[in-house]
Amino acid sequence: MTNKSILSSTRISLKSEHPPTHLVGLFALDTQRVLWLTVAIFHILVIGWLYTQMNQHKVPTWDEAGLAVTTTRFHEMIYGSESLEQFLDVSKFYAPGYPLLNALLSGCNPLWIKEFTPFLYINLLFWIILIVFTYLLGAKLFNTTTGLLASVVVVLYPATINTVLLYKEDFAVMAVSAAFLYYWIGVSESRGALDYIGLGISVGVGLMLK
């Protein structure tokens, strides 16, 4: 067999082993990319659905009402005229982290202290934190596909849906716990200073929340 025939047969075998990628517009029809896009669209739709559900939750339960009052008192202390002594006199039964964070995020918007519904919007922030760190945990412990699927499974879990629609610190604790676990694994593997900082922040926020 001549050198030319050997080269031609090698080229044919290489082409058969690596077929050309089929393009749809400017994007390659890649399984991983399709999975990313599908999961992203799913999470966007779920967040939109949660927003509409939160807008229908007008009457708080007992614990929710207590936290809402505490949030209002934080708001009045930060932006209004209420003194610290007055605040501490009525706001000593709940951990400060959850209502304080919500009061800070609400700014000076009077609607946030006249209506109950906007208080729930803080859970959308912790919802995103839960999704992100669930994905990071799955990707770290297994692979990217596992992380993406885990972020979908945790969203579909009934207790997750039920808890996020309540103005209680339980859902926030769940999200921060996922962040804590991710950074704890990083610290145990000695990945770097950011993991120590993230671990410290997640522990501190968790203690303030519950």
Side-chain angles (χ1 to χ4, degrees), residues 50-51 54 67 71 96-106 112 116-130 163-173 175 205 209:
L50 286 175
Y51 180 79
M54 288 176 177
L67 278 171
T71 304
Y98 190 65
L100 174 59
L101 181 59
N102 205 359
L104 290 172
L105 291 177
S106 69
W112 285 57
F116 169 74
T117 299
F119 286 129
L120 287 171
Y121 296 158
I122 190 176
N123 283 349
L124 293 177
L125 171 63
F126 286 106
W127 182 270
I128 295 173
I129 292 174
L130 178 64
T163 310
V164 76
L165 294 175
L166 296 174
Y167 187 63
K168 296 176 68 176
E169 63 273 66
D170 302 64
F171 184 80
V173 171
V205 173
L209 287 173

Short mmCIF file of all heavy atoms in Angstrom, two decimals, residues 50-51 54 67 71 96-106 112 116-130 163-173 175 205 209:
data_model
loop_
_atom_site.label_atom_id
_atom_site.label_comp_id
_atom_site.label_asym_id
_atom_site.label_seq_id
_atom_site.Cartn_x
_atom_site.Cartn_y
_atom_site.Cartn_z
N LEU A 50 -44.43 31.83 40.67
CA LEU A 50 -44.35 32.14 42.10
C LEU A 50 -44.74 33.59 42.36
O LEU A 50 -45.41 33.89 43.36
CB LEU A 50 -42.93 31.89 42.61
CG LEU A 50 -42.51 30.43 42.78
CD1 LEU A 50 -41.04 30.36 43.17
CD2 LEU A 50 -43.38 29.72 43.81
N TYR A 51 -44.32 34.48 41.49
CA TYR A 51 -44.66 35.90 41.65
C TYR A 51 -46.17 36.11 41.63
O TYR A 51 -46.72 36.85 42.45
CB TYR A 51 -43.99 36.70 40.55
CG TYR A 51 -44.26 38.19 40.62
CD1 TYR A 51 -43.57 39.00 41.51
CD2 TYR A 51 -45.22 38.77 39.79
CE1 TYR A 51 -43.83 40.35 41.59
CE2 TYR A 51 -45.48 40.13 39.85
CZ TYR A 51 -44.79 40.91 40.74
OH TYR A 51 -45.04 42.26 40.83
N MET A 54 -47.66 34.73 44.88
CA MET A 54 -47.40 35.62 46.02
C MET A 54 -48.37 36.79 46.03
O MET A 54 -48.80 37.25 47.10
CB MET A 54 -45.96 36.12 45.97
CG MET A 54 -44.93 35.07 46.30
SD MET A 54 -43.24 35.70 46.12
CE MET A 54 -42.29 34.27 46.66
N LEU A 67 -43.91 38.23 62.02
CA LEU A 67 -42.70 38.63 61.30
C LEU A 67 -42.93 39.90 60.49
O LEU A 67 -42.03 40.74 60.37
CB LEU A 67 -42.25 37.50 60.36
CG LEU A 67 -41.44 36.38 61.02
CD1 LEU A 67 -41.26 35.23 60.05
CD2 LEU A 67 -40.09 36.90 61.47
N THR A 71 -40.86 43.27 60.81
CA THR A 71 -40.26 43.91 59.63
C THR A 71 -40.65 45.38 59.56
O THR A 71 -39.83 46.25 59.26
CB THR A 71 -40.72 43.20 58.35
OG1 THR A 71 -40.38 41.81 58.44
CG2 THR A 71 -40.04 43.79 57.12
N PRO A 96 -33.50 38.37 64.11
CA PRO A 96 -33.56 39.64 63.38
C PRO A 96 -33.23 39.57 61.90
O PRO A 96 -33.59 40.48 61.15
CB PRO A 96 -32.51 40.49 64.11
CG PRO A 96 -31.52 39.49 64.62
CD PRO A 96 -32.32 38.28 64.99
N GLY A 97 -32.54 38.52 61.46
CA GLY A 97 -32.01 38.52 60.10
C GLY A 97 -33.03 38.66 58.99
O GLY A 97 -32.90 39.51 58.09
N TYR A 98 -34.07 37.84 59.05
CA TYR A 98 -35.07 37.81 57.97
C TYR A 98 -35.85 39.11 57.86
O TYR A 98 -35.88 39.73 56.79
CB TYR A 98 -36.00 36.61 58.21
CG TYR A 98 -36.93 36.28 57.08
CD1 TYR A 98 -36.45 35.83 55.85
CD2 TYR A 98 -38.31 36.37 57.26
CE1 TYR A 98 -37.32 35.49 54.82
CE2 TYR A 98 -39.18 36.03 56.24
CZ TYR A 98 -38.69 35.59 55.03
OH TYR A 98 -39.55 35.27 54.01
N PRO A 99 -36.47 39.61 58.94
CA PRO A 99 -37.20 40.88 58.82
C PRO A 99 -36.28 42.07 58.58
O PRO A 99 -36.66 43.02 57.87
CB PRO A 99 -37.94 41.00 60.16
CG PRO A 99 -37.20 40.13 61.09
CD PRO A 99 -36.65 39.01 60.27
N LEU A 100 -35.06 42.04 59.15
CA LEU A 100 -34.13 43.16 58.94
C LEU A 100 -33.72 43.25 57.48
O LEU A 100 -33.71 44.34 56.89
CB LEU A 100 -32.90 42.99 59.83
CG LEU A 100 -31.78 44.02 59.61
CD1 LEU A 100 -32.29 45.43 59.86
CD2 LEU A 100 -30.59 43.70 60.50
N LEU A 101 -33.39 42.12 56.87
CA LEU A 101 -33.00 42.12 55.46
C LEU A 101 -34.13 42.62 54.58
O LEU A 101 -33.93 43.40 53.64
CB LEU A 101 -32.59 40.71 55.04
CG LEU A 101 -32.13 40.54 53.58
CD1 LEU A 101 -30.94 41.44 53.28
CD2 LEU A 101 -31.79 39.08 53.28
N ASN A 102 -35.35 42.20 54.89
CA ASN A 102 -36.50 42.64 54.10
C ASN A 102 -36.74 44.13 54.27
O ASN A 102 -37.07 44.84 53.32
CB ASN A 102 -37.74 41.85 54.51
CG ASN A 102 -38.77 41.79 53.39
OD1 ASN A 102 -38.57 42.36 52.32
ND2 ASN A 102 -39.86 41.11 53.65
N ALA A 103 -36.57 44.62 55.51
CA ALA A 103 -36.76 46.06 55.75
C ALA A 103 -35.72 46.88 54.98
O ALA A 103 -36.03 47.93 54.42
CB ALA A 103 -36.66 46.35 57.24
N LEU A 104 -34.49 46.38 54.92
CA LEU A 104 -33.44 47.09 54.19
C LEU A 104 -33.73 47.08 52.69
O LEU A 104 -33.52 48.08 51.99
CB LEU A 104 -32.09 46.44 54.46
CG LEU A 104 -31.52 46.63 55.87
CD1 LEU A 104 -30.27 45.78 56.06
CD2 LEU A 104 -31.22 48.09 56.14
N LEU A 105 -34.21 45.96 52.17
CA LEU A 105 -34.51 45.86 50.74
C LEU A 105 -35.72 46.70 50.35
O LEU A 105 -35.82 47.16 49.21
CB LEU A 105 -34.74 44.40 50.35
CG LEU A 105 -33.53 43.47 50.40
CD1 LEU A 105 -33.94 42.05 50.06
CD2 LEU A 105 -32.45 43.94 49.43
N SER A 106 -36.63 46.88 51.29
CA SER A 106 -37.86 47.61 50.96
C SER A 106 -37.60 49.09 50.75
O SER A 106 -38.38 49.76 50.08
CB SER A 106 -38.89 47.43 52.07
OG SER A 106 -38.48 48.11 53.24
N TRP A 112 -44.66 48.80 51.03
CA TRP A 112 -44.11 47.63 51.71
C TRP A 112 -44.51 47.58 53.18
O TRP A 112 -44.34 46.57 53.84
CB TRP A 112 -42.58 47.61 51.58
CG TRP A 112 -42.13 47.22 50.22
CD1 TRP A 112 -42.45 47.81 49.04
CD2 TRP A 112 -41.27 46.13 49.89
NE1 TRP A 112 -41.85 47.17 48.00
CE2 TRP A 112 -41.12 46.13 48.49
CE3 TRP A 112 -40.61 45.16 50.64
CZ2 TRP A 112 -40.33 45.20 47.83
CZ3 TRP A 112 -39.83 44.23 49.97
CH2 TRP A 112 -39.69 44.25 48.59
N PHE A 116 -49.32 43.43 52.83
CA PHE A 116 -48.55 42.26 53.27
C PHE A 116 -47.81 41.61 52.11
O PHE A 116 -46.67 41.16 52.27
CB PHE A 116 -49.48 41.24 53.93
CG PHE A 116 -48.82 39.91 54.17
CD1 PHE A 116 -47.89 39.77 55.19
CD2 PHE A 116 -49.12 38.81 53.38
CE1 PHE A 116 -47.26 38.55 55.40
CE2 PHE A 116 -48.51 37.60 53.60
CZ PHE A 116 -47.57 37.47 54.62
N THR A 117 -48.41 41.55 50.95
CA THR A 117 -47.88 40.79 49.83
C THR A 117 -46.43 41.09 49.49
O THR A 117 -45.64 40.16 49.29
CB THR A 117 -48.75 40.99 48.57
OG1 THR A 117 -50.07 40.51 48.85
CG2 THR A 117 -48.19 40.21 47.40
N PRO A 118 -46.00 42.37 49.40
CA PRO A 118 -44.60 42.63 49.02
C PRO A 118 -43.56 42.02 49.95
O PRO A 118 -42.42 41.83 49.54
CB PRO A 118 -44.52 44.16 49.02
CG PRO A 118 -45.92 44.62 48.78
CD PRO A 118 -46.77 43.62 49.51
N PHE A 119 -43.96 41.72 51.20
CA PHE A 119 -43.00 41.10 52.11
C PHE A 119 -42.51 39.77 51.56
O PHE A 119 -41.39 39.35 51.83
CB PHE A 119 -43.64 40.88 53.48
CG PHE A 119 -43.80 42.14 54.28
CD1 PHE A 119 -45.01 42.46 54.86
CD2 PHE A 119 -42.73 43.00 54.47
CE1 PHE A 119 -45.16 43.61 55.61
CE2 PHE A 119 -42.87 44.16 55.22
CZ PHE A 119 -44.10 44.47 55.79
N LEU A 120 -43.36 39.08 50.81
CA LEU A 120 -43.01 37.75 50.31
C LEU A 120 -41.94 37.79 49.22
O LEU A 120 -41.30 36.78 48.96
CB LEU A 120 -44.26 37.06 49.74
CG LEU A 120 -45.29 36.55 50.76
CD1 LEU A 120 -46.55 36.09 50.03
CD2 LEU A 120 -44.71 35.43 51.58
N TYR A 121 -41.77 38.93 48.59
CA TYR A 121 -40.86 38.99 47.45
C TYR A 121 -39.42 38.65 47.83
O TYR A 121 -38.63 38.26 46.98
CB TYR A 121 -40.91 40.38 46.80
CG TYR A 121 -42.24 40.73 46.19
CD1 TYR A 121 -42.61 42.05 45.98
CD2 TYR A 121 -43.16 39.74 45.83
CE1 TYR A 121 -43.84 42.39 45.42
CE2 TYR A 121 -44.39 40.04 45.30
CZ TYR A 121 -44.72 41.38 45.09
OH TYR A 121 -45.94 41.69 44.54
N ILE A 122 -39.07 38.80 49.10
CA ILE A 122 -37.71 38.47 49.52
C ILE A 122 -37.41 36.99 49.29
O ILE A 122 -36.26 36.60 49.07
CB ILE A 122 -37.50 38.83 51.00
CG1 ILE A 122 -36.01 38.72 51.37
CG2 ILE A 122 -38.35 37.96 51.90
CD1 ILE A 122 -35.69 39.14 52.78
N ASN A 123 -38.46 36.16 49.32
CA ASN A 123 -38.25 34.73 49.11
C ASN A 123 -37.81 34.41 47.69
O ASN A 123 -37.21 33.36 47.45
CB ASN A 123 -39.52 33.95 49.44
CG ASN A 123 -39.72 33.79 50.94
OD1 ASN A 123 -38.81 34.08 51.72
ND2 ASN A 123 -40.89 33.34 51.34
N LEU A 124 -38.10 35.30 46.75
CA LEU A 124 -37.60 35.10 45.38
C LEU A 124 -36.08 35.19 45.35
O LEU A 124 -35.43 34.47 44.58
CB LEU A 124 -38.22 36.13 44.43
CG LEU A 124 -39.73 36.01 44.19
CD1 LEU A 124 -40.21 37.14 43.29
CD2 LEU A 124 -40.07 34.66 43.57
N LEU A 125 -35.51 36.06 46.18
CA LEU A 125 -34.06 36.15 46.27
C LEU A 125 -33.47 34.86 46.81
O LEU A 125 -32.50 34.31 46.24
CB LEU A 125 -33.68 37.32 47.19
CG LEU A 125 -32.20 37.43 47.58
CD1 LEU A 125 -31.34 37.69 46.34
CD2 LEU A 125 -32.00 38.53 48.62
N PHE A 126 -34.06 34.34 47.88
CA PHE A 126 -33.55 33.09 48.45
C PHE A 126 -33.86 31.90 47.53
O PHE A 126 -33.14 30.90 47.56
CB PHE A 126 -34.15 32.87 49.84
CG PHE A 126 -33.56 33.77 50.88
CD1 PHE A 126 -34.29 34.85 51.38
CD2 PHE A 126 -32.27 33.57 51.34
CE1 PHE A 126 -33.74 35.69 52.33
CE2 PHE A 126 -31.72 34.40 52.30
CZ PHE A 126 -32.45 35.47 52.79
N TRP A 127 -34.91 32.02 46.73
CA TRP A 127 -35.21 30.98 45.73
C TRP A 127 -34.07 30.87 44.74
O TRP A 127 -33.61 29.76 44.40
CB TRP A 127 -36.51 31.33 45.02
CG TRP A 127 -36.98 30.36 43.99
CD1 TRP A 127 -36.68 30.36 42.66
CD2 TRP A 127 -37.84 29.23 44.20
NE1 TRP A 127 -37.29 29.31 42.03
CE2 TRP A 127 -38.02 28.60 42.95
CE3 TRP A 127 -38.49 28.70 45.31
CZ2 TRP A 127 -38.79 27.47 42.79
CZ3 TRP A 127 -39.27 27.56 45.15
CH2 TRP A 127 -39.42 26.97 43.91
N ILE A 128 -33.59 31.99 44.25
CA ILE A 128 -32.47 32.01 43.30
C ILE A 128 -31.20 31.46 43.96
O ILE A 128 -30.45 30.68 43.35
CB ILE A 128 -32.24 33.43 42.76
CG1 ILE A 128 -33.44 33.87 41.93
CG2 ILE A 128 -30.97 33.50 41.92
CD1 ILE A 128 -33.40 35.32 41.49
N ILE A 129 -30.97 31.84 45.22
CA ILE A 129 -29.80 31.33 45.95
C ILE A 129 -29.88 29.82 46.07
O ILE A 129 -28.88 29.10 45.87
CB ILE A 129 -29.72 31.99 47.34
CG1 ILE A 129 -29.39 33.47 47.19
CG2 ILE A 129 -28.67 31.29 48.20
CD1 ILE A 129 -29.43 34.24 48.50
N LEU A 130 -31.07 29.28 46.38
CA LEU A 130 -31.24 27.83 46.51
C LEU A 130 -30.96 27.13 45.19
O LEU A 130 -30.27 26.10 45.15
CB LEU A 130 -32.65 27.51 46.99
CG LEU A 130 -33.00 26.02 47.11
CD1 LEU A 130 -32.14 25.37 48.18
CD2 LEU A 130 -34.48 25.84 47.42
N THR A 163 -43.22 26.18 51.20
CA THR A 163 -42.49 27.04 52.13
C THR A 163 -42.17 28.40 51.53
O THR A 163 -42.19 29.41 52.23
CB THR A 163 -41.18 26.34 52.56
OG1 THR A 163 -41.46 25.01 52.99
CG2 THR A 163 -40.53 27.09 53.71
N VAL A 164 -41.88 28.44 50.23
CA VAL A 164 -41.49 29.71 49.61
C VAL A 164 -42.65 30.69 49.56
O VAL A 164 -42.46 31.90 49.47
CB VAL A 164 -40.93 29.47 48.20
CG1 VAL A 164 -42.04 29.17 47.20
CG2 VAL A 164 -40.11 30.68 47.71
N LEU A 165 -43.87 30.19 49.64
CA LEU A 165 -45.05 31.05 49.58
C LEU A 165 -45.50 31.53 50.96
O LEU A 165 -46.57 32.10 51.09
CB LEU A 165 -46.20 30.31 48.88
CG LEU A 165 -45.97 30.00 47.40
CD1 LEU A 165 -47.10 29.16 46.84
CD2 LEU A 165 -45.81 31.29 46.60
N LEU A 166 -44.68 31.29 51.97
CA LEU A 166 -44.98 31.76 53.32
C LEU A 166 -43.93 32.77 53.75
O LEU A 166 -42.75 32.62 53.46
CB LEU A 166 -44.98 30.59 54.31
CG LEU A 166 -46.05 29.51 54.09
CD1 LEU A 166 -45.83 28.37 55.06
CD2 LEU A 166 -47.44 30.09 54.26
N TYR A 167 -44.37 33.81 54.45
CA TYR A 167 -43.44 34.80 54.97
C TYR A 167 -42.88 34.31 56.30
O TYR A 167 -43.23 34.76 57.38
CB TYR A 167 -44.12 36.16 55.14
CG TYR A 167 -43.12 37.25 55.51
CD1 TYR A 167 -42.11 37.60 54.63
CD2 TYR A 167 -43.20 37.89 56.73
CE1 TYR A 167 -41.19 38.58 54.96
CE2 TYR A 167 -42.28 38.88 57.08
CZ TYR A 167 -41.29 39.21 56.18
OH TYR A 167 -40.36 40.18 56.51
N LYS A 168 -42.00 33.33 56.17
CA LYS A 168 -41.33 32.75 57.34
C LYS A 168 -39.87 32.51 56.97
O LYS A 168 -39.53 32.37 55.79
CB LYS A 168 -42.00 31.43 57.75
CG LYS A 168 -43.44 31.61 58.22
CD LYS A 168 -44.09 30.28 58.53
CE LYS A 168 -43.47 29.62 59.74
NZ LYS A 168 -44.17 28.37 60.09
N GLU A 169 -39.01 32.44 57.97
CA GLU A 169 -37.59 32.33 57.72
C GLU A 169 -37.13 30.94 57.30
O GLU A 169 -35.98 30.74 56.92
CB GLU A 169 -36.80 32.77 58.95
CG GLU A 169 -37.01 31.92 60.19
CD GLU A 169 -38.20 32.37 61.02
OE1 GLU A 169 -39.35 32.25 60.51
OE2 GLU A 169 -38.00 32.80 62.16
N ASP A 170 -38.05 29.97 57.32
CA ASP A 170 -37.68 28.58 57.03
C ASP A 170 -37.08 28.41 55.65
O ASP A 170 -36.08 27.70 55.47
CB ASP A 170 -38.90 27.67 57.18
CG ASP A 170 -39.51 27.74 58.56
OD1 ASP A 170 -40.00 28.83 58.92
OD2 ASP A 170 -39.53 26.73 59.27
N PHE A 171 -37.69 29.06 54.64
CA PHE A 171 -37.17 28.90 53.29
C PHE A 171 -35.80 29.56 53.14
O PHE A 171 -34.91 29.02 52.47
CB PHE A 171 -38.15 29.49 52.27
CG PHE A 171 -37.71 29.26 50.85
CD1 PHE A 171 -37.95 28.03 50.25
CD2 PHE A 171 -37.06 30.24 50.14
CE1 PHE A 171 -37.52 27.79 48.95
CE2 PHE A 171 -36.64 30.01 48.84
CZ PHE A 171 -36.87 28.78 48.24
N ALA A 172 -35.63 30.71 53.77
CA ALA A 172 -34.33 31.38 53.72
C ALA A 172 -33.24 30.51 54.34
O ALA A 172 -32.12 30.43 53.83
CB ALA A 172 -34.42 32.72 54.42
N VAL A 173 -33.59 29.84 55.44
CA VAL A 173 -32.63 28.95 56.10
C VAL A 173 -32.26 27.79 55.17
O VAL A 173 -31.10 27.36 55.11
CB VAL A 173 -33.21 28.42 57.42
CG1 VAL A 173 -32.32 27.33 58.01
CG2 VAL A 173 -33.37 29.57 58.42
N ALA A 175 -32.15 27.83 51.87
CA ALA A 175 -31.25 28.33 50.83
C ALA A 175 -29.84 28.56 51.38
O ALA A 175 -28.85 28.19 50.76
CB ALA A 175 -31.81 29.62 50.23
N VAL A 205 -25.16 34.48 58.42
CA VAL A 205 -26.52 34.76 57.95
C VAL A 205 -27.49 33.71 58.52
O VAL A 205 -28.61 34.04 58.92
CB VAL A 205 -26.58 34.77 56.42
CG1 VAL A 205 -28.02 34.89 55.92
CG2 VAL A 205 -25.74 35.93 55.87
N LEU A 209 -30.82 34.33 60.81
CA LEU A 209 -32.14 34.00 60.28
C LEU A 209 -32.98 33.19 61.25
O LEU A 209 -34.20 33.37 61.34
CB LEU A 209 -31.99 33.21 58.97
CG LEU A 209 -31.54 34.02 57.75
CD1 LEU A 209 -31.26 33.08 56.58
CD2 LEU A 209 -32.59 35.05 57.35
#
